[in-house]
Amino acid sequence: MYICVCHAVTEKDIKKAVGKGASSISRLSELTMLGTQCGCCTEHANQVLHQCANKP
Ligand code: FES
């Protein structure tokens, strides 16, 4: 499922970024470009980021 439509970033991409050590939206943005255009996705991305970070 796409989280950031502007940059075609999926939930899977966020999981990969978390695996690479992304623990904040700003780091996630650096790795995926997520949130750098319209910005509508950041709240949902933040939820997904925390869900991924809390899973072992
Ligand atoms: Fe992510 Fe627009 S949907 S920047």
Side-chain angles (χ1 to χ4, degrees), residues 3-9 33-42:
I3 306 299
C4 177
V5 177
C6 294
H7 294 288
V9 180
M33 298 294 288
L34 173 147
T36 58
Q37 200 160 325
C38 73
C40 307
C41 56
T42 52

Side-chain angles (χ1 to χ4, degrees), residues 1-32:
M1 176 181 157
Y2 284 108
I3 306 299
C4 177
V5 177
C6 294
H7 294 288
V9 180
T10 63
E11 212 170 309
K12 203 172 163 184
D13 294 325
I14 294 178
K15 282 181 190 165
K16 272 191 211 164
V18 169
K20 289 179 185 170
S23 58
S24 66
I25 284 292
S26 58
R27 186 69 185 122
L28 198 56
S29 294
E30 285 172 19
L31 290 171
T32 65

